[in-house]
Every structure is written in structure tokens, then in C-alpha cells.
Amino acid sequence: IPKNIVMDIDLRNDTTYYSDFVLHNLHSSIGMKNGVLNLHDLSAKSNDGDMRLDLVYATASSNNIGIGMLLDMHNIKVNRFINLMPEIDSIMPMLKGVDGVINARLAATTRVDSLMNVIMPTTTAALNISGKNLVLLDNETFREIAKMLRFKNREKNMIDSLSVEVTAYDAQIDVYPFIISMDRYKLGVVGWNDFDTNYKYHISVLDSPLFFKFGINLSGNIMEDKMKFRLGKAKLRENEVARTTAITDTTRYNIYSRMGEIFRAGAEAG
């Protein structure tokens, strides 16, 4: 972005096309100064869900480009969300096995190259996804778990409700404890994966037709499609999981600090 351009625009548009999305009533305040582009309250509605975006795009130089964003999406289909933001695959790969309508909140900062490719190791993000009556599609992970727990329906299963918090920081993705109800089971889930698609998750069976609680430990690499299962003790308790899944203040502070750094990098360069 040229640093000698100063611009303030109020944008209003009835119908907007972005890829194969059709957006209605799009509006935003757009500012540009010292090589920094600022989109404030970019909001729109569509048949695929509603969205609101605040974004800072700062270009200290052609080799030092940063983006910070706060994104809210409501009533959007999972596959639409992934198509809109394909980088989510690296942050939360488990979404590929879910179908249904979700709400999503994403706060993120990252560096990008001159072709707008995200430099994943520089990404810091906090993601919350919630939804009801979701469908867990048939995949290798689900088949193995369904076989082990003797699910009634082993092709697909309904998730009554889901609310999960995920943070990405220093090239690691942490999934905070959350509860899902499936088939005849109530499960507590916690774990992590990294940007090289290695993962390690623990599932605590909190309620089931069985008379005892136990845990399932999963590990492997998503790309290699090889998974290790190990039975053990349940590490999660329902009251501990339900108490809070809020993102820690430290992680939230780091995200907003990096957003400030991105903005200042562009502003100071001018």
C-alpha cells in the first residue's frame, strides 16, 4: 500500500459478490494512512449466514506485511466457513468431519508474504465455535471410536450441542476442554495439534451404558492417516469442563498485543 495515500471511505452496497458468496447490505468504514488499511465494522448478510469483520492490513515493507482481524459469523454452514477461510484447516482440522450450521468467532494476527499467503508459524489466533444438531460425518477417527464404543449408528452421528475454544500460539494449537453428547455417550474432549498436523487428544467417557468411566487417548498425524489408540483413565470431570472454557487472559492479551504491533509497524514505517 503506498504510504503517501490518505483515504477515508464509507462503503454501502446492496449486493456484493465474493467468490461464490452473495452478500447483501454490505457496509463498512475504510481508512488508509501510512501504508495501513483499516476496515471497521464490515458487515453483511447472506443466505449462508451473517458476518462482521474488523481488519487491519499493515505494510511496513513488501517483505513485512501483517494482518489482524476480528471476525464474527452467525448461522454459517461448516463447509462454507472452511471454504471462506481455508487456513482454519490448520487450526481446527477436526471441522472437516462435521456437517451443520455453526456460529464462529475468530481473533487472529498473522504475517503474510507478497502473494498474500499466510505464514502459519507467525499466526496467533483464538477461535470459538458453537452449534447444535451437528452431524459427525464418517471418517477414520469416527469409525474407530464408534467401533470401540459400539455406537448404534456407525455411519454418522448427531452432536446435540457443541461449544469449543481453540487457541493457536507459537505454532501449537490448544483445544480447551469441551463436552459433546453423541449416541448413548457424553464425552469430554481436550487436546492439541501443531501446524505439521501432529495431534494428541484425550477423550473422557463421562456418561455411557457402561458402569465405569474411562478415557481414550488418540495421537498421530492427520496427513499420514495413521492413528494410535490407547485406553486409560478419564482425565476430565464434567463439572470441571462445564465450569468454563473461556480463553485465558494471557492468550487474549497476546493476540491483541500482536494486533497493535502490526498496526504500529505500518504506521511507523510512514
Side-chain angles (χ1 to χ4, degrees), residues 134-146:
L134 303 173
V135 176
L136 189 62
L137 302 174
D138 178 38
N139 59 36
E140 183 63 28
T141 304
F142 175 68
R143 284 198 299 269
E144 292 292 338
I145 295 174

Side-chain angles (χ1 to χ4, degrees), residues 150-161:
R150 298 181 179 276
F151 281 5
K152 291 180 180 179
N153 188 340
R154 300 187 183 182
E155 297 300 319
K156 65 180 182 179
N157 199 67
M158 293 296 297
I159 301 175
D160 296 335
S161 63

Side-chain angles (χ1 to χ4, degrees), residues 59-131:
T59 55
S61 69
S62 60
N63 297 318
N64 187 3
I65 305 172
I67 295 176
M69 69 167 63
L70 298 172
L71 174 67
D72 258 314
M73 305 200 76
H74 296 278
N75 300 320
I76 186 169
K77 294 180 180 179
V78 173
N79 63 334
R80 279 298 209 176
F81 181 56
I82 294 175
N83 289 340
L84 182 64
M85 303 196 67
E87 291 81 9
I88 291 296
D89 254 5
S90 299
I91 296 175
M92 201 173 181
M94 66 181 71
L95 271 184
K96 289 188 294 185
V98 176
D99 187 29
V101 176
I102 60 172
N103 298 322
R105 298 195 311 272
L106 174 66
T109 66
T110 190
R111 301 288 175 179
V112 297
D113 62 23
S114 58
L115 298 178
M116 292 296 293
N117 296 310
V118 172
I119 304 172
M120 290 304 297
T122 69
T123 300
T124 299
L127 172 67
N128 172 273
I129 288 179
S130 61

Side-chain angles (χ1 to χ4, degrees), residues 27 168 175 177:
H27 59 86
V175 179

